[in-house]
mmCIF file of all heavy atoms in Angstrom:
data_model
loop_
_atom_site.group_PDB
_atom_site.id
_atom_site.type_symbol
_atom_site.label_atom_id
_atom_site.label_comp_id
_atom_site.label_asym_id
_atom_site.label_seq_id
_atom_site.Cartn_x
_atom_site.Cartn_y
_atom_site.Cartn_z
ATOM 1 N N GLU C 1408 -1.328 -92.793 37.310
ATOM 2 C CA GLU C 1408 -0.625 -92.176 38.417
ATOM 3 C C GLU C 1408 -1.339 -92.442 39.737
ATOM 4 O O GLU C 1408 -2.565 -92.528 39.798
ATOM 5 C CB GLU C 1408 -0.470 -90.664 38.202
ATOM 6 C CG GLU C 1408 -1.769 -89.891 38.172
ATOM 7 C CD GLU C 1408 -1.568 -88.387 38.079
ATOM 8 O OE1 GLU C 1408 -0.506 -87.882 38.503
ATOM 9 O OE2 GLU C 1408 -2.490 -87.705 37.577
ATOM 10 N N LEU C 1409 -0.544 -92.544 40.781
ATOM 11 C CA LEU C 1409 -1.072 -92.733 42.122
ATOM 12 C C LEU C 1409 -1.617 -91.413 42.638
ATOM 13 O O LEU C 1409 -0.924 -90.398 42.626
ATOM 14 C CB LEU C 1409 0.027 -93.251 43.044
ATOM 15 C CG LEU C 1409 -0.338 -93.506 44.506
ATOM 16 C CD1 LEU C 1409 -1.405 -94.586 44.619
ATOM 17 C CD2 LEU C 1409 0.908 -93.897 45.287
ATOM 18 N N VAL C 1410 -2.857 -91.437 43.111
ATOM 19 C CA VAL C 1410 -3.524 -90.242 43.602
ATOM 20 C C VAL C 1410 -3.471 -90.155 45.120
ATOM 21 O O VAL C 1410 -3.159 -89.103 45.689
ATOM 22 C CB VAL C 1410 -4.985 -90.193 43.123
ATOM 23 C CG1 VAL C 1410 -5.729 -89.008 43.723
ATOM 24 C CG2 VAL C 1410 -5.041 -90.135 41.600
ATOM 25 N N ALA C 1411 -3.811 -91.250 45.799
ATOM 26 C CA ALA C 1411 -3.897 -91.245 47.252
ATOM 27 C C ALA C 1411 -3.825 -92.660 47.783
ATOM 28 O O ALA C 1411 -4.212 -93.614 47.099
ATOM 29 C CB ALA C 1411 -5.196 -90.582 47.713
ATOM 30 N N THR C 1412 -3.336 -92.797 49.005
ATOM 31 C CA THR C 1412 -3.310 -94.083 49.693
ATOM 32 C C THR C 1412 -3.844 -93.918 51.105
ATOM 33 O O THR C 1412 -3.780 -92.832 51.693
ATOM 34 C CB THR C 1412 -1.896 -94.673 49.783
ATOM 35 O OG1 THR C 1412 -1.048 -93.785 50.518
ATOM 36 C CG2 THR C 1412 -1.314 -94.914 48.400
ATOM 37 N N ILE C 1413 -4.352 -95.015 51.641
ATOM 38 C CA ILE C 1413 -4.775 -95.048 53.034
ATOM 39 C C ILE C 1413 -4.421 -96.407 53.605
ATOM 40 O O ILE C 1413 -4.705 -97.440 53.004
ATOM 41 C CB ILE C 1413 -6.282 -94.728 53.187
ATOM 42 C CG1 ILE C 1413 -6.673 -94.669 54.666
ATOM 43 C CG2 ILE C 1413 -7.148 -95.716 52.414
ATOM 44 C CD1 ILE C 1413 -8.034 -94.024 54.904
ATOM 45 N N THR C 1414 -3.767 -96.416 54.758
ATOM 46 C CA THR C 1414 -3.352 -97.656 55.390
ATOM 47 C C THR C 1414 -4.463 -98.207 56.270
ATOM 48 O O THR C 1414 -5.504 -97.580 56.477
ATOM 49 C CB THR C 1414 -2.095 -97.450 56.237
ATOM 50 O OG1 THR C 1414 -2.422 -96.647 57.378
ATOM 51 C CG2 THR C 1414 -0.993 -96.777 55.440
ATOM 52 N N SER C 1415 -4.209 -99.400 56.815
ATOM 53 C CA SER C 1415 -5.174 -100.004 57.725
ATOM 54 C C SER C 1415 -5.374 -99.177 58.988
ATOM 55 O O SER C 1415 -6.443 -99.240 59.600
ATOM 56 C CB SER C 1415 -4.736 -101.423 58.090
ATOM 57 O OG SER C 1415 -3.469 -101.414 58.734
ATOM 58 N N SER C 1416 -4.357 -98.411 59.367
ATOM 59 C CA SER C 1416 -4.460 -97.529 60.521
ATOM 60 C C SER C 1416 -4.907 -96.117 60.138
ATOM 61 O O SER C 1416 -4.865 -95.207 60.964
ATOM 62 C CB SER C 1416 -3.137 -97.476 61.274
ATOM 63 O OG SER C 1416 -2.088 -97.045 60.438
ATOM 64 N N GLU C 1417 -5.299 -95.943 58.885
ATOM 65 C CA GLU C 1417 -5.871 -94.701 58.363
ATOM 66 C C GLU C 1417 -4.865 -93.568 58.218
ATOM 67 O O GLU C 1417 -5.248 -92.397 58.190
ATOM 68 C CB GLU C 1417 -7.094 -94.272 59.179
ATOM 69 C CG GLU C 1417 -8.192 -95.321 59.158
ATOM 70 C CD GLU C 1417 -9.496 -94.874 59.763
ATOM 71 O OE1 GLU C 1417 -9.596 -93.718 60.226
ATOM 72 O OE2 GLU C 1417 -10.439 -95.687 59.771
ATOM 73 N N ASN C 1418 -3.589 -93.913 58.090
ATOM 74 C CA ASN C 1418 -2.624 -92.926 57.635
ATOM 75 C C ASN C 1418 -2.825 -92.705 56.143
ATOM 76 O O ASN C 1418 -3.065 -93.657 55.392
ATOM 77 C CB ASN C 1418 -1.199 -93.400 57.888
ATOM 78 C CG ASN C 1418 -0.864 -93.436 59.356
ATOM 79 O OD1 ASN C 1418 -1.237 -92.554 60.120
ATOM 80 N ND2 ASN C 1418 -0.132 -94.460 59.770
ATOM 81 N N THR C 1419 -2.712 -91.469 55.700
ATOM 82 C CA THR C 1419 -2.990 -91.127 54.312
ATOM 83 C C THR C 1419 -1.820 -90.414 53.662
ATOM 84 O O THR C 1419 -1.038 -89.736 54.326
ATOM 85 C CB THR C 1419 -4.236 -90.249 54.196
ATOM 86 O OG1 THR C 1419 -4.048 -89.044 54.945
ATOM 87 C CG2 THR C 1419 -5.460 -90.986 54.721
ATOM 88 N N ASN C 1420 -1.726 -90.559 52.343
ATOM 89 C CA ASN C 1420 -0.759 -89.838 51.534
ATOM 90 C C ASN C 1420 -1.418 -89.434 50.233
ATOM 91 O O ASN C 1420 -2.299 -90.134 49.737
ATOM 92 C CB ASN C 1420 0.481 -90.686 51.252
ATOM 93 C CG ASN C 1420 1.361 -90.857 52.454
ATOM 94 O OD1 ASN C 1420 1.324 -91.890 53.116
ATOM 95 N ND2 ASN C 1420 2.149 -89.836 52.761
ATOM 96 N N TYR C 1421 -0.957 -88.313 49.667
ATOM 97 C CA TYR C 1421 -1.563 -87.760 48.471
ATOM 98 C C TYR C 1421 -0.510 -87.310 47.478
ATOM 99 O O TYR C 1421 0.576 -86.856 47.861
ATOM 100 C CB TYR C 1421 -2.436 -86.550 48.813
ATOM 101 C CG TYR C 1421 -3.563 -86.871 49.751
ATOM 102 C CD1 TYR C 1421 -3.404 -86.756 51.123
ATOM 103 C CD2 TYR C 1421 -4.791 -87.286 49.260
ATOM 104 C CE1 TYR C 1421 -4.446 -87.055 51.993
ATOM 105 C CE2 TYR C 1421 -5.837 -87.589 50.123
ATOM 106 C CZ TYR C 1421 -5.658 -87.470 51.488
ATOM 107 O OH TYR C 1421 -6.695 -87.768 52.339
ATOM 108 N N ALA C 1422 -0.854 -87.413 46.213
ATOM 109 C CA ALA C 1422 -0.034 -86.778 45.194
ATOM 110 C C ALA C 1422 -0.063 -85.267 45.387
ATOM 111 O O ALA C 1422 -1.076 -84.701 45.808
ATOM 112 C CB ALA C 1422 -0.557 -87.132 43.804
ATOM 113 N N ASP C 1423 1.047 -84.622 45.078
ATOM 114 C CA ASP C 1423 1.111 -83.171 45.244
ATOM 115 C C ASP C 1423 0.016 -82.450 44.462
ATOM 116 O O ASP C 1423 -0.489 -81.412 44.901
ATOM 117 C CB ASP C 1423 2.478 -82.644 44.806
ATOM 118 C CG ASP C 1423 3.578 -83.000 45.782
ATOM 119 O OD1 ASP C 1423 3.283 -83.341 46.937
ATOM 120 O OD2 ASP C 1423 4.753 -82.925 45.375
ATOM 121 N N SER C 1424 -0.362 -83.005 43.320
ATOM 122 C CA SER C 1424 -1.338 -82.360 42.464
ATOM 123 C C SER C 1424 -2.742 -82.307 43.064
ATOM 124 O O SER C 1424 -3.563 -81.500 42.628
ATOM 125 C CB SER C 1424 -1.393 -83.056 41.106
ATOM 126 O OG SER C 1424 -1.726 -84.422 41.257
ATOM 127 N N VAL C 1425 -3.025 -83.159 44.045
ATOM 128 C CA VAL C 1425 -4.362 -83.200 44.632
ATOM 129 C C VAL C 1425 -4.373 -82.841 46.110
ATOM 130 O O VAL C 1425 -5.457 -82.708 46.701
ATOM 131 C CB VAL C 1425 -5.029 -84.573 44.439
ATOM 132 C CG1 VAL C 1425 -4.992 -84.987 42.974
ATOM 133 C CG2 VAL C 1425 -4.381 -85.635 45.315
ATOM 134 N N LYS C 1426 -3.224 -82.676 46.700
ATOM 135 C CA LYS C 1426 -3.132 -82.398 48.131
ATOM 136 C C LYS C 1426 -3.900 -81.129 48.481
ATOM 137 O O LYS C 1426 -3.757 -80.096 47.821
ATOM 138 C CB LYS C 1426 -1.668 -82.281 48.542
ATOM 139 C CG LYS C 1426 -1.437 -82.290 50.042
ATOM 140 C CD LYS C 1426 0.055 -82.428 50.359
ATOM 141 C CE LYS C 1426 0.606 -83.757 49.878
ATOM 142 N NZ LYS C 1426 2.043 -83.927 50.224
ATOM 143 N N GLY C 1427 -4.710 -81.217 49.510
ATOM 144 C CA GLY C 1427 -5.534 -80.100 49.930
ATOM 145 C C GLY C 1427 -6.890 -80.051 49.270
ATOM 146 O O GLY C 1427 -7.764 -79.308 49.727
ATOM 147 N N ARG C 1428 -7.078 -80.811 48.198
ATOM 148 C CA ARG C 1428 -8.351 -80.844 47.478
ATOM 149 C C ARG C 1428 -9.071 -82.178 47.609
ATOM 150 O O ARG C 1428 -10.298 -82.220 47.641
ATOM 151 C CB ARG C 1428 -8.137 -80.538 45.998
ATOM 152 C CG ARG C 1428 -7.520 -79.168 45.736
ATOM 153 C CD ARG C 1428 -7.501 -78.850 44.242
ATOM 154 N NE ARG C 1428 -6.678 -79.795 43.488
ATOM 155 C CZ ARG C 1428 -7.132 -80.569 42.506
ATOM 156 N NH1 ARG C 1428 -8.408 -80.512 42.138
ATOM 157 N NH2 ARG C 1428 -6.301 -81.387 41.865
ATOM 158 N N PHE C 1429 -8.313 -83.270 47.658
ATOM 159 C CA PHE C 1429 -8.885 -84.613 47.722
ATOM 160 C C PHE C 1429 -8.672 -85.193 49.114
ATOM 161 O O PHE C 1429 -7.656 -84.923 49.775
ATOM 162 C CB PHE C 1429 -8.217 -85.546 46.717
ATOM 163 C CG PHE C 1429 -8.515 -85.268 45.267
ATOM 164 C CD1 PHE C 1429 -9.143 -84.105 44.854
ATOM 165 C CD2 PHE C 1429 -8.150 -86.204 44.304
ATOM 166 C CE1 PHE C 1429 -9.407 -83.864 43.516
ATOM 167 C CE2 PHE C 1429 -8.407 -85.978 42.965
ATOM 168 C CZ PHE C 1429 -9.032 -84.811 42.569
ATOM 169 N N THR C 1430 -9.602 -86.034 49.541
ATOM 170 C CA THR C 1430 -9.494 -86.737 50.808
ATOM 171 C C THR C 1430 -9.860 -88.199 50.612
ATOM 172 O O THR C 1430 -10.954 -88.507 50.131
ATOM 173 C CB THR C 1430 -10.410 -86.127 51.878
ATOM 174 O OG1 THR C 1430 -10.107 -84.738 52.050
ATOM 175 C CG2 THR C 1430 -10.222 -86.844 53.211
ATOM 176 N N ILE C 1431 -8.950 -89.092 50.972
ATOM 177 C CA ILE C 1431 -9.239 -90.516 50.947
ATOM 178 C C ILE C 1431 -9.666 -90.951 52.346
ATOM 179 O O ILE C 1431 -9.112 -90.481 53.346
ATOM 180 C CB ILE C 1431 -8.022 -91.329 50.444
ATOM 181 C CG1 ILE C 1431 -8.392 -92.799 50.241
ATOM 182 C CG2 ILE C 1431 -6.832 -91.168 51.368
ATOM 183 C CD1 ILE C 1431 -7.301 -93.606 49.532
ATOM 184 N N SER C 1432 -10.656 -91.814 52.422
ATOM 185 C CA SER C 1432 -11.137 -92.307 53.699
ATOM 186 C C SER C 1432 -11.633 -93.731 53.524
ATOM 187 O O SER C 1432 -11.768 -94.229 52.399
ATOM 188 C CB SER C 1432 -12.244 -91.408 54.262
ATOM 189 O OG SER C 1432 -13.371 -91.390 53.405
ATOM 190 N N ARG C 1433 -11.889 -94.390 54.639
ATOM 191 C CA ARG C 1433 -12.396 -95.754 54.571
ATOM 192 C C ARG C 1433 -13.416 -95.997 55.664
ATOM 193 O O ARG C 1433 -13.364 -95.386 56.742
ATOM 194 C CB ARG C 1433 -11.248 -96.774 54.661
ATOM 195 C CG ARG C 1433 -10.523 -96.799 56.001
ATOM 196 C CD ARG C 1433 -9.222 -97.607 55.904
ATOM 197 N NE ARG C 1433 -9.470 -98.986 55.531
ATOM 198 C CZ ARG C 1433 -8.579 -99.777 54.932
ATOM 199 N NH1 ARG C 1433 -7.367 -99.307 54.632
ATOM 200 N NH2 ARG C 1433 -8.902 -101.026 54.632
ATOM 201 N N ASP C 1434 -14.347 -96.882 55.368
ATOM 202 C CA ASP C 1434 -15.346 -97.323 56.321
ATOM 203 C C ASP C 1434 -15.253 -98.839 56.362
ATOM 204 O O ASP C 1434 -15.783 -99.528 55.491
ATOM 205 C CB ASP C 1434 -16.737 -96.857 55.906
ATOM 206 C CG ASP C 1434 -17.797 -97.172 56.940
ATOM 207 O OD1 ASP C 1434 -17.586 -98.058 57.782
ATOM 208 O OD2 ASP C 1434 -18.865 -96.526 56.904
ATOM 209 N N ASN C 1435 -14.557 -99.350 57.361
ATOM 210 C CA ASN C 1435 -14.321 -100.788 57.425
ATOM 211 C C ASN C 1435 -15.599 -101.583 57.657
ATOM 212 O O ASN C 1435 -15.697 -102.735 57.236
ATOM 213 C CB ASN C 1435 -13.290 -101.105 58.507
ATOM 214 C CG ASN C 1435 -11.900 -100.637 58.145
ATOM 215 O OD1 ASN C 1435 -11.565 -100.478 56.974
ATOM 216 N ND2 ASN C 1435 -11.076 -100.407 59.164
ATOM 217 N N ALA C 1436 -16.572 -100.983 58.327
ATOM 218 C CA ALA C 1436 -17.842 -101.660 58.545
ATOM 219 C C ALA C 1436 -18.586 -101.881 57.236
ATOM 220 O O ALA C 1436 -19.394 -102.807 57.120
ATOM 221 C CB ALA C 1436 -18.710 -100.875 59.516
ATOM 222 N N LYS C 1437 -18.326 -101.025 56.247
ATOM 223 C CA LYS C 1437 -18.969 -101.139 54.944
ATOM 224 C C LYS C 1437 -18.047 -101.699 53.878
ATOM 225 O O LYS C 1437 -18.445 -101.813 52.716
ATOM 226 C CB LYS C 1437 -19.497 -99.774 54.495
ATOM 227 C CG LYS C 1437 -20.589 -99.215 55.383
ATOM 228 C CD LYS C 1437 -21.097 -97.891 54.853
ATOM 229 C CE LYS C 1437 -22.225 -97.356 55.714
ATOM 230 N NZ LYS C 1437 -22.730 -96.055 55.216
ATOM 231 N N ASN C 1438 -16.815 -102.038 54.248
ATOM 232 C CA ASN C 1438 -15.824 -102.535 53.290
ATOM 233 C C ASN C 1438 -15.689 -101.600 52.089
ATOM 234 O O ASN C 1438 -15.648 -102.045 50.940
ATOM 235 C CB ASN C 1438 -16.181 -103.947 52.810
ATOM 236 C CG ASN C 1438 -16.001 -105.013 53.872
ATOM 237 O OD1 ASN C 1438 -16.519 -106.109 53.738
ATOM 238 N ND2 ASN C 1438 -15.275 -104.705 54.937
ATOM 239 N N THR C 1439 -15.602 -100.316 52.374
ATOM 240 C CA THR C 1439 -15.610 -99.322 51.312
ATOM 241 C C THR C 1439 -14.543 -98.264 51.552
ATOM 242 O O THR C 1439 -14.342 -97.818 52.683
ATOM 243 C CB THR C 1439 -16.984 -98.650 51.200
ATOM 244 O OG1 THR C 1439 -17.972 -99.650 50.931
ATOM 245 C CG2 THR C 1439 -17.008 -97.630 50.077
ATOM 246 N N VAL C 1440 -13.870 -97.869 50.484
ATOM 247 C CA VAL C 1440 -12.945 -96.746 50.515
ATOM 248 C C VAL C 1440 -13.511 -95.651 49.622
ATOM 249 O O VAL C 1440 -14.127 -95.935 48.587
ATOM 250 C CB VAL C 1440 -11.515 -97.171 50.095
ATOM 251 C CG1 VAL C 1440 -11.488 -97.694 48.665
ATOM 252 C CG2 VAL C 1440 -10.536 -96.023 50.276
ATOM 253 N N TYR C 1441 -13.304 -94.411 50.029
ATOM 254 C CA TYR C 1441 -13.858 -93.263 49.326
ATOM 255 C C TYR C 1441 -12.754 -92.318 48.881
ATOM 256 O O TYR C 1441 -11.668 -92.276 49.461
ATOM 257 C CB TYR C 1441 -14.808 -92.481 50.233
ATOM 258 C CG TYR C 1441 -15.940 -93.293 50.798
ATOM 259 C CD1 TYR C 1441 -15.841 -93.864 52.068
ATOM 260 C CD2 TYR C 1441 -17.104 -93.486 50.078
ATOM 261 C CE1 TYR C 1441 -16.879 -94.611 52.594
ATOM 262 C CE2 TYR C 1441 -18.152 -94.234 50.595
ATOM 263 C CZ TYR C 1441 -18.034 -94.790 51.854
ATOM 264 O OH TYR C 1441 -19.073 -95.527 52.364
ATOM 265 N N LEU C 1442 -13.065 -91.546 47.866
ATOM 266 C CA LEU C 1442 -12.216 -90.427 47.476
ATOM 267 C C LEU C 1442 -13.105 -89.209 47.294
ATOM 268 O O LEU C 1442 -13.857 -89.128 46.319
ATOM 269 C CB LEU C 1442 -11.440 -90.722 46.190
ATOM 270 C CG LEU C 1442 -10.415 -89.659 45.795
ATOM 271 C CD1 LEU C 1442 -9.253 -89.627 46.795
ATOM 272 C CD2 LEU C 1442 -9.891 -89.905 44.384
ATOM 273 N N GLN C 1443 -13.047 -88.303 48.257
ATOM 274 C CA GLN C 1443 -13.770 -87.044 48.159
ATOM 275 C C GLN C 1443 -12.920 -86.064 47.372
ATOM 276 O O GLN C 1443 -11.789 -85.770 47.762
ATOM 277 C CB GLN C 1443 -14.073 -86.489 49.547
ATOM 278 C CG GLN C 1443 -14.803 -85.149 49.540
ATOM 279 C CD GLN C 1443 -16.195 -85.245 48.990
ATOM 280 O OE1 GLN C 1443 -16.951 -86.136 49.354
ATOM 281 N NE2 GLN C 1443 -16.554 -84.330 48.089
ATOM 282 N N MET C 1444 -13.457 -85.558 46.279
ATOM 283 C CA MET C 1444 -12.725 -84.678 45.387
ATOM 284 C C MET C 1444 -13.415 -83.324 45.357
ATOM 285 O O MET C 1444 -14.553 -83.213 44.905
ATOM 286 C CB MET C 1444 -12.647 -85.266 43.982
ATOM 287 C CG MET C 1444 -12.064 -86.670 43.940
ATOM 288 S SD MET C 1444 -11.858 -87.290 42.251
ATOM 289 C CE MET C 1444 -13.579 -87.364 41.751
ATOM 290 N N ASN C 1445 -12.732 -82.313 45.842
ATOM 291 C CA ASN C 1445 -13.244 -80.955 45.862
ATOM 292 C C ASN C 1445 -12.397 -80.054 44.974
ATOM 293 O O ASN C 1445 -11.275 -80.394 44.615
ATOM 294 C CB ASN C 1445 -13.251 -80.405 47.289
ATOM 295 C CG ASN C 1445 -14.133 -81.182 48.221
ATOM 296 O OD1 ASN C 1445 -15.181 -81.702 47.830
ATOM 297 N ND2 ASN C 1445 -13.730 -81.266 49.485
#
């Protein structure tokens, strides 16, 4: 299942099951995407 997406302009979307708990982010300088799960 799809959990989260982030676009090149840093727009984000989340599955309803994780919304408010998970945060997707990216650091283009490090070529890395993160998923913070609380």
Side-chain angles (χ1 to χ4, degrees):
E1408 64 175 335
L1409 180 62
V1410 175
T1412 61
I1413 184 166
T1414 69
S1415 60
S1416 58
E1417 300 189 0
N1418 291 320
T1419 59
N1420 287 100
Y1421 300 91
D1423 288 342
S1424 59
V1425 308
K1426 192 170 296 182
R1428 300 187 298 120
F1429 290 12
T1430 303
I1431 188 171
S1432 62
R1433 66 192 299 156
D1434 186 339
N1435 290 336
K1437 296 182 178 180
N1438 289 163
T1439 301
V1440 62
Y1441 303 95
L1442 186 68
Q1443 179 67 47
M1444 305 185 295
N1445 298 326

